[in-house]
């Protein structure tokens, strides 16, 4: 396999996807053995075998105690005690604390056995590795990839994800923040760098939602603000349709499937499939053999009916957007592009609702929302393959830098110096002007309406040209004044007034 053939991988709580970047730079999302471009992130473990993907999801009905779903939430090693207790109490698979972190205790036939989330994650990556091998028609060369993680994952969590992929056989080039590579999917900042542009990345996953504001300037992509919530997710759509179907069962058959664990699991699977179909088709036909009390259940749900059922949820889905814009101190009109990620955003009504929040923004839709993250990661991998040997150590993809929270404008004896919002700190700028005074007062204004003021007083007698060198750092704004003729200098720090 050529070193220039690399992969991008996204493993979420509900699904996993993989994209390949070929020698000529063309990116394709790969299908699994079933022909699906999205693989369920579900793992089932028995004494005989470990099953991943569609087969594991199908077997969930009969093997609920041994089938692990939503594993990615346990890959977050920075969970607080309340979150750990909640997962231990609510997870369908027995979850325990082992060595300070959560793990699964599965009831195998021979004995109970403990499995770490990293082991489960590694099995998902192993399945994706098999897809990659089939795509390259090679068995003797290691596959290299870039993998995505949520923006809020800390360093130990990222390292755990990296190790899970390595254990599956992958050569991991980089672990990247999922929102940061999303623009690459649509060629943003790839062929031509953008300047002074705000982008909103909105991801609606199976059990969570993220809204992230990116600032792109001269090729640099920085995260301005982000909001993550577990209060909403695709599960809300499934719960709503499932509740509707339960009422249908009650009306038609005088029976309640929610009172039986097996019947409830059957209905859950059918509902998930129906929601998936209704995201692209006008109708979904549901048939469940022997749902409850030996009765078969059949129903037809139209896309219009489904969208009317979920209408009350739309404002909830917009809440993370409102929060992140407030954090970033921006209005919706400041956002120039909106990028949508996650399977639920294929639903027309939901997609249009989010789009209507940004009437002046460009919302590209040429890539399916549930393939966007893997695609962007593959583009990032192709960058690395172009400039580095795929087997060499690579620089870390994310470097923490301090940036300016708000713009600052300084009046220097009639001349103006400006520091832009999100400018990387420390930042130094100089300006030369004429002055004929003994004492100089510089005034700096900042804030939305330029109402916040600070001053710096310089004691420097000058009758000619003077150079002001201003340095903005994390905790202060500093100025040095130098008389060009006499080379006398004076320094001061701006103080709020």
């Amino acid at each position: 396999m050529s070193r220039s053939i690399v992969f991008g991988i996204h493993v979420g709580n509900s699904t996993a996807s993989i994209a390949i970047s070929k020698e000529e730079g063309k990116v394709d999302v790969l299908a699994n053995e079933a022909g699906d471009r999205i693989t369920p992130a579900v793992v089932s473990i028995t004494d005989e075998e470990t099953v991943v993907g569609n087969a594991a999801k199908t077997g969930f009905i009969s093997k609920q105690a041994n089938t692990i779903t939503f594993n990615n939430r346990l890959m977050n090693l920075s969970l607080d005690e309340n979150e750990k207790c909640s997962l231990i109490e609510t997870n369908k698979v027995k979850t325990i604390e082992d060595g300070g972190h959560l793990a699964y205790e599965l009831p195998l036939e021979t004995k109970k056995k403990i499995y770490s989330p990293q082991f489960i994650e590694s099995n998902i990556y192993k399945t994706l590795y098999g897809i990659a091998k089939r795509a390259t028609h090679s068995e003797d060369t290691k596959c290299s990839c870039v993998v995505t993680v949520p923006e809020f994952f800390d360093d130990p969590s990222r390292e755990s994800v990296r190790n899970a992929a390595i254990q599956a056989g992958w050569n991991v080039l980089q672990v990247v923040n999922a929102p940061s590579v999303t623009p690459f999917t649509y060629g943003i900042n790839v062929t031509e760098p953008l300047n002074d542009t705000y982008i909103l990345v909105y991801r609606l996953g199976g059990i969570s939602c993220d809204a992230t504001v990116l600032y792109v300037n001269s090729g640099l992509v920085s995260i301005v603000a982000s909001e993550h919530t577990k209060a909403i997710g695709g599960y809300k759509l499934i719960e709503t349709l499932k509740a509707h179907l339960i009422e249908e069962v009650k009306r038609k058959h005088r029976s309640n499937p929610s009172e039986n664990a097996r019947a409830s699991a059957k209905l859950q699977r059918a509902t998930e499939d129906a929601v998936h179909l209704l995201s692209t088709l006008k109708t979904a036909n549901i048939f469940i053999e022997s749902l409850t009390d030996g009765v078969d259940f059949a129903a037809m749900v139209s896309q219009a009916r489904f969208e009317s059922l979920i209408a009350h949820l739309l404002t909830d889905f917009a809440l993370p957007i409102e929060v992140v814009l407030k954090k970033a101190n921006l209005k919706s009109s400041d956002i120039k592009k909106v990028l949508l990620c996650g399977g639920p955003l294929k639903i027309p009504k939901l997609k249009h609702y989010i789009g209507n929040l940004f009437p002046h923004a460009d919302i590209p839709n040429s890539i399916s929302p549930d393939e966007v993250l893997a695609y962007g990661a593959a583009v990032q991998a192709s960058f690395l393959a172009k400039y580095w040997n795929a087997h060499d150590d690579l620089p870390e993809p994310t470097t923490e830098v301090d940036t300016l929270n708000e713009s600052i404008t300084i009046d220097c004896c009639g001349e103006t110096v400006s520091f832009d919002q999100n400018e990387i700190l420390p930042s130094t700028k100089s300006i030369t002007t004429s002055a004929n005074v003994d004492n100089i007062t510089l005034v700096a204004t900042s804030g939305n309406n330029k109402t916040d003021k600070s001053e710096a007083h310089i004691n420097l007698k000058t009758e000619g040209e003077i150079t002001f060198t201003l340095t903005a750092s994390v905790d202060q704004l500093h100025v040095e004044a130098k008389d060009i003729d006499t080379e006398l200098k004076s320094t001061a720090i701006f103080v709020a007034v």
Side-chain angles (χ1 to χ4, degrees):
M1 182 184 72
S2 169
R3 287 175 178 172
S4 59
I5 298 179
V6 287
F7 299 85
I9 295 176
H10 170 68
V11 177
N13 276 302
S14 304
T15 61
S17 54
I18 177 171
I20 182 173
S21 177
K22 300 178 182 178
E23 295 179 13
E24 63 275 15
K26 187 175 187 290
V27 175
D28 289 314
V29 177
L30 299 177
N32 56 28
E33 288 182 322
D36 299 323
R37 291 152 71 96
I38 301 299
T39 300
V42 181
V43 180
S44 178
I45 299 176
T46 64
D47 286 290
E48 294 78 24
E49 61 181 351
T50 298
V51 180
V52 179
N54 287 309
K57 188 174 180 179
T58 302
F60 176 78
I61 295 170
S62 58
K63 300 173 184 175
Q64 296 186 43
N66 294 70
T67 303
I68 296 163
T69 57
F70 310 129
N71 178 70
N72 210 41
R73 57 187 174 177
L74 270 68
M75 292 297 291
N76 179 11
L77 302 182
S78 61
L79 293 171
D80 61 33
E81 289 304 314
N82 289 336
E83 291 174 308
K84 288 181 181 179
C85 291
S86 176
L87 285 169
I88 289 172
E89 291 173 4
T90 61
N91 213 353
K92 292 182 179 179
V93 173
K94 185 174 182 181
T95 305
I96 62 172
E97 193 160 359
D98 182 50
H101 297 297
L102 297 183
Y104 305 103
E105 184 178 277
L106 303 187
L108 304 183
E109 289 183 8
T110 54
K111 62 177 181 179
K112 292 181 180 178
K113 195 169 180 179
I114 296 174
Y115 294 94
S116 69
Q118 184 175 304
F119 174 82
I120 302 303
E121 194 88 346
S122 182
N123 276 280
I124 298 172
Y125 277 102
K126 193 178 295 182
T127 297
L128 299 175
Y129 195 76
I131 296 172
K133 282 295 186 182
R134 287 192 296 274
T136 58
H137 309 291
S138 172
E139 292 297 330
D140 57 354
T141 308
K142 205 168 190 178
C143 295
S144 298
C145 68
V146 167
V147 302
T148 68
V149 293
E151 183 271 337
F152 58 85
F153 266 28
D154 61 6
D155 288 342
S157 303
R158 293 166 190 265
E159 192 62 25
S160 182
V161 172
R162 179 189 289 271
N163 290 336
I166 291 172
Q167 289 169 15
W170 286 100
N171 175 45
V172 180
L173 301 177
Q174 285 186 335
V175 178
V176 297
N177 286 327
S180 299
V181 296
T182 306
F184 301 156
T185 300
Y186 297 102
I188 299 170
N189 228 32
V190 176
T191 56
E192 183 178 346
L194 288 180
N195 290 312
D196 194 25
T197 301
Y198 288 101
I199 298 173
L200 176 80
V201 178
Y202 180 73
R203 184 199 66 86
L204 183 60
I207 59 171
S208 63
C209 181
D210 300 283
T212 307
V213 173
L214 304 178
Y215 179 68
V216 183
N217 194 27
S218 301
L220 177 68
V221 179
S222 58
I223 295 177
V224 179
S226 62
E227 173 67 11
H228 171 76
T229 178
K230 302 182 189 72
I232 57 173
Y235 73 94
K236 288 284 189 180
L237 306 171
I238 295 168
E239 285 179 352
T240 301
L241 181 57
K242 185 178 179 181
H244 168 72
L245 294 175
I246 287 173
E247 292 304 313
E248 284 287 293
V249 176
K250 289 179 179 178
R251 183 177 63 81
K252 289 181 178 180
H253 306 294
R254 311 293 184 192
S255 179
N256 187 354
S258 60
E259 295 176 351
N260 179 281
R262 186 179 179 85
S264 182
K266 282 185 175 184
L267 189 59
Q268 177 75 17
R269 175 64 194 272
T271 305
E272 291 172 3
D273 291 344
V275 170
H276 178 70
L277 290 172
L278 290 168
S279 65
T280 54
L281 302 177
K282 294 297 182 183
T283 59
N285 292 302
I286 300 166
F287 178 77
I288 306 174
E289 185 177 358
S290 188
L291 174 62
T292 178
D293 299 327
V295 175
D296 299 338
F297 173 68
M300 188 276 288
V301 180
S302 68
Q303 190 179 76
R305 177 59 173 147
F306 173 60
E307 290 183 341
S308 70
L309 289 171
I310 65 171
H312 69 286
L313 296 172
L314 298 180
T315 53
D316 293 339
F317 288 131
L319 286 176
I321 295 174
E322 295 175 14
V323 173
V324 80
L325 288 177
K326 187 174 182 180
K327 283 183 178 180
N329 203 18
L330 296 173
K331 303 185 291 291
S332 61
S333 58
D334 296 320
I335 303 297
K336 302 307 179 188
K337 291 182 182 291
V338 177
L339 308 181
L340 304 178
C341 315
L345 288 165
K346 292 190 291 184
I347 297 170
K349 190 176 186 68
L350 182 53
K351 181 166 58 177
H352 292 155
Y353 182 81
I354 299 300
N356 288 337
L357 299 176
F358 302 91
H360 305 297
D362 175 36
I363 308 177
N365 58 7
S366 57
I367 307 295
S368 178
D370 50 7
E371 300 173 2
V372 164
L373 294 175
Y375 196 110
V379 176
Q380 171 70 0
S382 71
F383 291 159
L384 301 179
K386 183 177 180 180
Y387 295 107
W388 281 281
N389 185 312
H391 298 289
D392 289 342
D393 290 335
L394 296 170
E396 282 302 308
T398 305
T399 302
E400 290 190 6
V401 294
D402 295 306
T403 59
L404 200 59
N405 291 330
E406 53 193 12
S407 62
I408 302 175
T409 301
I410 304 102
D411 182 6
C412 302
C413 298
E415 298 290 337
T416 299
V417 175
S418 296
F419 292 92
D420 296 328
Q421 185 180 24
N422 297 314
E423 196 161 315
I424 295 175
L425 301 178
S427 178
T428 300
K429 296 184 179 183
S430 297
I431 191 170
T432 300
T433 185
S434 298
N436 187 12
V437 292
D438 292 345
N439 295 291
I440 301 169
T441 299
L442 304 186
V443 178
T445 56
S446 59
N448 278 343
N449 301 313
K450 300 297 181 184
T451 54
D452 299 331
K453 291 187 177 182
S454 57
E455 293 181 350
H457 301 283
I458 297 173
N459 183 15
L460 182 65
K461 185 175 181 179
T462 178
E463 296 180 354
E465 289 192 326
I466 185 170
T467 297
F468 295 101
T469 302
L470 297 116
T471 301
S473 58
V474 175
D475 53 1
Q476 68 179 20
L477 179 62
H478 174 272
V479 60
E480 178 188 270
K482 178 182 177 181
D483 187 298
I484 293 179
D485 293 331
T486 64
E487 295 192 351
L488 293 175
K489 297 179 182 179
S490 180
T491 62
I493 294 173
F494 283 80
V495 178
V497 294

